[in-house]
Amino acid sequence: MRPSPSKTGYYLIEGANSFATAYYFNYLMFLLRDAHGFTNLNNLAVGALHGLVYVGGSWYGGRFGQRNGYFRSLRLGFGGMALGLGVGYLVPALWGQFVGLGLWTIAICFTWPMLEALVSEHETPARLPHRVGVYNVVWAGTAALGFSSGGWIFQHLGRPSLYWLPLVIHLVQWLATWPLQRRHDLWLASAPPVPAGPIPHDTAVRPDYFRRLAWVANPFNYMAINTIMVVAPGIAAHVGLTVVQAGLVLSVWFYARALAFLKLWLWTGWHYRFDWFFGAFAILLFSFVAVMLSPTAAGLILAQVGFGWASALLYYSALYYSMDGSDAHGEHGGVHEALIGMGLCGGPAVSAGAIWVTGQPTAPAWVVAGGLAVAMGWVWRIRRRAAVSG
């Protein structure tokens, strides 16, 4: 059987994308706190709007790339992200930050679905888990590096680095799409692509059933993730961390997630296992509350280990079950990212509402935990109904 094309170039621009986005978006929250006096409530509102734009943008971005070409979509995305960063740099006023973030958010929706599709397409059934595994390890590892080093970069290179550093990265990515497309087209012209198909299993499984489970879980996974990310400045201040220290301490869950992706890539025993999936959901709930409420840096570090593991398995499940046996990788990548956007919006939105109604700074921890508990019940019901109908 003909070998699949080299994916090294896609992994390189994927890693660059992850590093740049981890630095810009997460440390924008610190800039809004320090330069514009934003509170947790304000940052949560920004995070909710960002997620709302991401939902529609990702759904459209996946469809656009499927119909108009992955590389055209990537060029539109990288160019638009650079444009948004340029606006943020040139217009330091608050409205300029919002316009820049909005343009950047729309543009990024044309990149992730296409990168997911490019690493998944033209793969044999036995090879797909390897490709998805490498993809997850790369983006998670570079996101961890972007966040952990971001505090030092932000402090020592100054606030302008929040814009010019990722802007340069995105321009390099934009330029890289042309040689990558030429190599991709040459490979396609050499022989017909390998057809996709479901991965064989020793026991009867139902990929569509697990896909539904994962598509329910991942938005709630990102409710927890984005709530933590947008209130990271508040968490850091609560335990007495500087910006540089926050980058190091609050990156623990990033690294835990990357290591979990590595484990899940090398060991596939979790595929189509409900107990692993549901267990990760439970760990996510309890570790989220611990991260949000921990009074010490030591407790914060310990809680992040469980949070990183759980979020990794839920994300990996959603992406892998979306791509397994699919021929419309671009569209499915868009759906996958749109569901992430629902979580990116939902977590900060309900958290902001909880603070506004109750006036309690701890309200986000409990309202998001309640949402996770409801989602666990929903997942359990899907499982039971599938067992009865099967």
Side-chain angles (χ1 to χ4, degrees), residues 243-264:
V243 173
V244 175
Q245 291 169 338
L248 296 174
V249 172
L250 290 173
S251 66
V252 169
W253 82 267
F254 281 87
Y255 284 104
R257 179 175 64 180
L259 290 173
F261 278 147
L262 180 62
K263 171 65 176 177
L264 296 170

PDB file of all heavy atoms in Angstrom, residues 243-264:
ATOM      1  N   VAL A 243       3.773  38.056  37.070  1.00  0.00           N
ATOM      2  CA  VAL A 243       3.450  37.591  35.726  1.00  0.00           C
ATOM      3  C   VAL A 243       4.374  36.450  35.311  1.00  0.00           C
ATOM      4  O   VAL A 243       3.929  35.442  34.747  1.00  0.00           O
ATOM      5  CB  VAL A 243       3.535  38.751  34.713  1.00  0.00           C
ATOM      6  CG1 VAL A 243       3.364  38.234  33.286  1.00  0.00           C
ATOM      7  CG2 VAL A 243       2.475  39.794  35.012  1.00  0.00           C
ATOM      8  N   VAL A 244       5.677  36.599  35.585  1.00  0.00           N
ATOM      9  CA  VAL A 244       6.627  35.546  35.229  1.00  0.00           C
ATOM     10  C   VAL A 244       6.327  34.272  36.012  1.00  0.00           C
ATOM     11  O   VAL A 244       6.327  33.163  35.448  1.00  0.00           O
ATOM     12  CB  VAL A 244       8.079  36.008  35.484  1.00  0.00           C
ATOM     13  CG1 VAL A 244       9.053  34.864  35.217  1.00  0.00           C
ATOM     14  CG2 VAL A 244       8.419  37.199  34.604  1.00  0.00           C
ATOM     15  N   GLN A 245       6.066  34.393  37.312  1.00  0.00           N
ATOM     16  CA  GLN A 245       5.747  33.224  38.138  1.00  0.00           C
ATOM     17  C   GLN A 245       4.436  32.578  37.693  1.00  0.00           C
ATOM     18  O   GLN A 245       4.316  31.350  37.683  1.00  0.00           O
ATOM     19  CB  GLN A 245       5.663  33.635  39.604  1.00  0.00           C
ATOM     20  CG  GLN A 245       6.987  34.034  40.217  1.00  0.00           C
ATOM     21  CD  GLN A 245       6.827  34.677  41.589  1.00  0.00           C
ATOM     22  OE1 GLN A 245       5.757  35.190  41.928  1.00  0.00           O
ATOM     23  NE2 GLN A 245       7.887  34.641  42.375  1.00  0.00           N
ATOM     24  N   ALA A 246       3.472  33.404  37.300  1.00  0.00           N
ATOM     25  CA  ALA A 246       2.197  32.859  36.820  1.00  0.00           C
ATOM     26  C   ALA A 246       2.407  32.007  35.576  1.00  0.00           C
ATOM     27  O   ALA A 246       1.789  30.941  35.421  1.00  0.00           O
ATOM     28  CB  ALA A 246       1.223  33.995  36.527  1.00  0.00           C
ATOM     29  N   GLY A 247       3.293  32.474  34.682  1.00  0.00           N
ATOM     30  CA  GLY A 247       3.574  31.693  33.485  1.00  0.00           C
ATOM     31  C   GLY A 247       4.133  30.325  33.805  1.00  0.00           C
ATOM     32  O   GLY A 247       3.802  29.335  33.135  1.00  0.00           O
ATOM     33  N   LEU A 248       4.963  30.255  34.837  1.00  0.00           N
ATOM     34  CA  LEU A 248       5.565  28.978  35.213  1.00  0.00           C
ATOM     35  C   LEU A 248       4.582  28.095  35.971  1.00  0.00           C
ATOM     36  O   LEU A 248       4.409  26.915  35.654  1.00  0.00           O
ATOM     37  CB  LEU A 248       6.818  29.231  36.056  1.00  0.00           C
ATOM     38  CG  LEU A 248       7.966  29.963  35.342  1.00  0.00           C
ATOM     39  CD1 LEU A 248       9.079  30.293  36.321  1.00  0.00           C
ATOM     40  CD2 LEU A 248       8.507  29.118  34.197  1.00  0.00           C
ATOM     41  N   VAL A 249       3.926  28.645  36.983  1.00  0.00           N
ATOM     42  CA  VAL A 249       3.049  27.836  37.838  1.00  0.00           C
ATOM     43  C   VAL A 249       1.784  27.408  37.098  1.00  0.00           C
ATOM     44  O   VAL A 249       1.379  26.239  37.142  1.00  0.00           O
ATOM     45  CB  VAL A 249       2.690  28.607  39.125  1.00  0.00           C
ATOM     46  CG1 VAL A 249       1.627  27.857  39.926  1.00  0.00           C
ATOM     47  CG2 VAL A 249       3.932  28.828  39.976  1.00  0.00           C
ATOM     48  N   LEU A 250       1.158  28.336  36.398  1.00  0.00           N
ATOM     49  CA  LEU A 250      -0.099  28.017  35.730  1.00  0.00           C
ATOM     50  C   LEU A 250       0.085  27.260  34.416  1.00  0.00           C
ATOM     51  O   LEU A 250      -0.899  26.916  33.753  1.00  0.00           O
ATOM     52  CB  LEU A 250      -0.898  29.299  35.477  1.00  0.00           C
ATOM     53  CG  LEU A 250      -1.461  29.961  36.742  1.00  0.00           C
ATOM     54  CD1 LEU A 250      -2.074  31.304  36.421  1.00  0.00           C
ATOM     55  CD2 LEU A 250      -2.495  29.054  37.404  1.00  0.00           C
ATOM     56  N   SER A 251       1.331  26.998  34.047  1.00  0.00           N
ATOM     57  CA  SER A 251       1.582  26.176  32.856  1.00  0.00           C
ATOM     58  C   SER A 251       1.663  24.690  33.190  1.00  0.00           C
ATOM     59  O   SER A 251       1.800  23.861  32.279  1.00  0.00           O
ATOM     60  CB  SER A 251       2.871  26.603  32.166  1.00  0.00           C
ATOM     61  OG  SER A 251       3.999  26.332  32.978  1.00  0.00           O
ATOM     62  N   VAL A 252       1.563  24.336  34.477  1.00  0.00           N
ATOM     63  CA  VAL A 252       1.691  22.927  34.865  1.00  0.00           C
ATOM     64  C   VAL A 252       0.654  22.072  34.152  1.00  0.00           C
ATOM     65  O   VAL A 252       0.956  20.983  33.640  1.00  0.00           O
ATOM     66  CB  VAL A 252       1.575  22.773  36.392  1.00  0.00           C
ATOM     67  CG1 VAL A 252       1.428  21.294  36.785  1.00  0.00           C
ATOM     68  CG2 VAL A 252       2.802  23.376  37.077  1.00  0.00           C
ATOM     69  N   TRP A 253      -0.577  22.548  34.077  1.00  0.00           N
ATOM     70  CA  TRP A 253      -1.608  21.733  33.431  1.00  0.00           C
ATOM     71  C   TRP A 253      -1.365  21.632  31.920  1.00  0.00           C
ATOM     72  O   TRP A 253      -1.721  20.617  31.309  1.00  0.00           O
ATOM     73  CB  TRP A 253      -3.003  22.263  33.740  1.00  0.00           C
ATOM     74  CG  TRP A 253      -3.475  23.404  32.905  1.00  0.00           C
ATOM     75  CD1 TRP A 253      -3.367  24.720  33.177  1.00  0.00           C
ATOM     76  CD2 TRP A 253      -4.174  23.305  31.652  1.00  0.00           C
ATOM     77  NE1 TRP A 253      -3.932  25.473  32.168  1.00  0.00           N
ATOM     78  CE2 TRP A 253      -4.440  24.629  31.236  1.00  0.00           C
ATOM     79  CE3 TRP A 253      -4.592  22.238  30.855  1.00  0.00           C
ATOM     80  CZ2 TRP A 253      -5.110  24.907  30.041  1.00  0.00           C
ATOM     81  CZ3 TRP A 253      -5.254  22.523  29.663  1.00  0.00           C
ATOM     82  CH2 TRP A 253      -5.508  23.828  29.275  1.00  0.00           C
ATOM     83  N   PHE A 254      -0.747  22.649  31.324  1.00  0.00           N
ATOM     84  CA  PHE A 254      -0.380  22.564  29.913  1.00  0.00           C
ATOM     85  C   PHE A 254       0.591  21.399  29.687  1.00  0.00           C
ATOM     86  O   PHE A 254       0.428  20.612  28.744  1.00  0.00           O
ATOM     87  CB  PHE A 254       0.296  23.863  29.457  1.00  0.00           C
ATOM     88  CG  PHE A 254      -0.629  25.000  29.156  1.00  0.00           C
ATOM     89  CD1 PHE A 254      -1.041  25.852  30.168  1.00  0.00           C
ATOM     90  CD2 PHE A 254      -1.068  25.245  27.872  1.00  0.00           C
ATOM     91  CE1 PHE A 254      -1.872  26.926  29.901  1.00  0.00           C
ATOM     92  CE2 PHE A 254      -1.895  26.311  27.583  1.00  0.00           C
ATOM     93  CZ  PHE A 254      -2.310  27.162  28.608  1.00  0.00           C
ATOM     94  N   TYR A 255       1.616  21.328  30.528  1.00  0.00           N
ATOM     95  CA  TYR A 255       2.598  20.253  30.377  1.00  0.00           C
ATOM     96  C   TYR A 255       2.002  18.901  30.732  1.00  0.00           C
ATOM     97  O   TYR A 255       2.332  17.883  30.099  1.00  0.00           O
ATOM     98  CB  TYR A 255       3.832  20.554  31.228  1.00  0.00           C
ATOM     99  CG  TYR A 255       4.720  21.610  30.631  1.00  0.00           C
ATOM    100  CD1 TYR A 255       4.734  22.909  31.131  1.00  0.00           C
ATOM    101  CD2 TYR A 255       5.530  21.322  29.533  1.00  0.00           C
ATOM    102  CE1 TYR A 255       5.546  23.891  30.562  1.00  0.00           C
ATOM    103  CE2 TYR A 255       6.340  22.295  28.957  1.00  0.00           C
ATOM    104  CZ  TYR A 255       6.338  23.577  29.477  1.00  0.00           C
ATOM    105  OH  TYR A 255       7.134  24.542  28.904  1.00  0.00           O
ATOM    106  N   ALA A 256       1.129  18.868  31.747  1.00  0.00           N
ATOM    107  CA  ALA A 256       0.456  17.610  32.088  1.00  0.00           C
ATOM    108  C   ALA A 256      -0.399  17.129  30.924  1.00  0.00           C
ATOM    109  O   ALA A 256      -0.459  15.930  30.626  1.00  0.00           O
ATOM    110  CB  ALA A 256      -0.408  17.800  33.341  1.00  0.00           C
ATOM    111  N   ARG A 257      -1.051  18.063  30.239  1.00  0.00           N
ATOM    112  CA  ARG A 257      -1.862  17.695  29.073  1.00  0.00           C
ATOM    113  C   ARG A 257      -0.987  17.156  27.953  1.00  0.00           C
ATOM    114  O   ARG A 257      -1.338  16.160  27.294  1.00  0.00           O
ATOM    115  CB  ARG A 257      -2.656  18.909  28.593  1.00  0.00           C
ATOM    116  CG  ARG A 257      -3.511  18.650  27.362  1.00  0.00           C
ATOM    117  CD  ARG A 257      -4.360  19.849  26.994  1.00  0.00           C
ATOM    118  NE  ARG A 257      -3.549  21.003  26.619  1.00  0.00           N
ATOM    119  CZ  ARG A 257      -4.067  22.183  26.257  1.00  0.00           C
ATOM    120  NH1 ARG A 257      -5.384  22.356  26.248  1.00  0.00           N
ATOM    121  NH2 ARG A 257      -3.270  23.189  25.922  1.00  0.00           N
ATOM    122  N   ALA A 258       0.154  17.805  27.707  1.00  0.00           N
ATOM    123  CA  ALA A 258       1.050  17.346  26.646  1.00  0.00           C
ATOM    124  C   ALA A 258       1.578  15.950  26.930  1.00  0.00           C
ATOM    125  O   ALA A 258       1.635  15.087  26.038  1.00  0.00           O
ATOM    126  CB  ALA A 258       2.211  18.325  26.483  1.00  0.00           C
ATOM    127  N   LEU A 259       1.954  15.681  28.183  1.00  0.00           N
ATOM    128  CA  LEU A 259       2.440  14.350  28.542  1.00  0.00           C
ATOM    129  C   LEU A 259       1.323  13.317  28.447  1.00  0.00           C
ATOM    130  O   LEU A 259       1.561  12.166  28.054  1.00  0.00           O
ATOM    131  CB  LEU A 259       3.025  14.376  29.956  1.00  0.00           C
ATOM    132  CG  LEU A 259       4.342  15.152  30.112  1.00  0.00           C
ATOM    133  CD1 LEU A 259       4.726  15.250  31.574  1.00  0.00           C
ATOM    134  CD2 LEU A 259       5.451  14.492  29.303  1.00  0.00           C
ATOM    135  N   ALA A 260       0.108  13.712  28.810  1.00  0.00           N
ATOM    136  CA  ALA A 260      -1.029  12.796  28.681  1.00  0.00           C
ATOM    137  C   ALA A 260      -1.290  12.467  27.216  1.00  0.00           C
ATOM    138  O   ALA A 260      -1.588  11.314  26.868  1.00  0.00           O
ATOM    139  CB  ALA A 260      -2.270  13.415  29.322  1.00  0.00           C
ATOM    140  N   PHE A 261      -1.186  13.472  26.335  1.00  0.00           N
ATOM    141  CA  PHE A 261      -1.337  13.213  24.903  1.00  0.00           C
ATOM    142  C   PHE A 261      -0.295  12.201  24.424  1.00  0.00           C
ATOM    143  O   PHE A 261      -0.592  11.331  23.596  1.00  0.00           O
ATOM    144  CB  PHE A 261      -1.187  14.514  24.112  1.00  0.00           C
ATOM    145  CG  PHE A 261      -2.427  15.351  24.057  1.00  0.00           C
ATOM    146  CD1 PHE A 261      -2.325  16.741  24.021  1.00  0.00           C
ATOM    147  CD2 PHE A 261      -3.684  14.788  24.015  1.00  0.00           C
ATOM    148  CE1 PHE A 261      -3.453  17.534  23.951  1.00  0.00           C
ATOM    149  CE2 PHE A 261      -4.821  15.564  23.950  1.00  0.00           C
ATOM    150  CZ  PHE A 261      -4.707  16.943  23.916  1.00  0.00           C
ATOM    151  N   LEU A 262       0.931  12.340  24.916  1.00  0.00           N
ATOM    152  CA  LEU A 262       1.980  11.399  24.532  1.00  0.00           C
ATOM    153  C   LEU A 262       1.616   9.982  24.962  1.00  0.00           C
ATOM    154  O   LEU A 262       1.752   9.029  24.188  1.00  0.00           O
ATOM    155  CB  LEU A 262       3.305  11.833  25.164  1.00  0.00           C
ATOM    156  CG  LEU A 262       4.521  10.948  24.867  1.00  0.00           C
ATOM    157  CD1 LEU A 262       4.822  10.924  23.373  1.00  0.00           C
ATOM    158  CD2 LEU A 262       5.740  11.443  25.647  1.00  0.00           C
ATOM    159  N   LYS A 263       1.137   9.839  26.187  1.00  0.00           N
ATOM    160  CA  LYS A 263       0.735   8.525  26.690  1.00  0.00           C
ATOM    161  C   LYS A 263      -0.429   7.960  25.880  1.00  0.00           C
ATOM    162  O   LYS A 263      -0.425   6.780  25.486  1.00  0.00           O
ATOM    163  CB  LYS A 263       0.336   8.643  28.166  1.00  0.00           C
ATOM    164  CG  LYS A 263      -0.298   7.402  28.767  1.00  0.00           C
ATOM    165  CD  LYS A 263       0.669   6.233  28.805  1.00  0.00           C
ATOM    166  CE  LYS A 263       0.029   5.018  29.499  1.00  0.00           C
ATOM    167  NZ  LYS A 263       0.932   3.845  29.493  1.00  0.00           N
ATOM    168  N   LEU A 264      -1.427   8.787  25.608  1.00  0.00           N
ATOM    169  CA  LEU A 264      -2.607   8.325  24.876  1.00  0.00           C
ATOM    170  C   LEU A 264      -2.289   8.015  23.420  1.00  0.00           C
ATOM    171  O   LEU A 264      -2.985   7.211  22.789  1.00  0.00           O
ATOM    172  CB  LEU A 264      -3.709   9.387  24.959  1.00  0.00           C
ATOM    173  CG  LEU A 264      -4.247   9.668  26.366  1.00  0.00           C
ATOM    174  CD1 LEU A 264      -5.158  10.889  26.368  1.00  0.00           C
ATOM    175  CD2 LEU A 264      -4.982   8.455  26.932  1.00  0.00           C
TER     176      LEU A 264
END
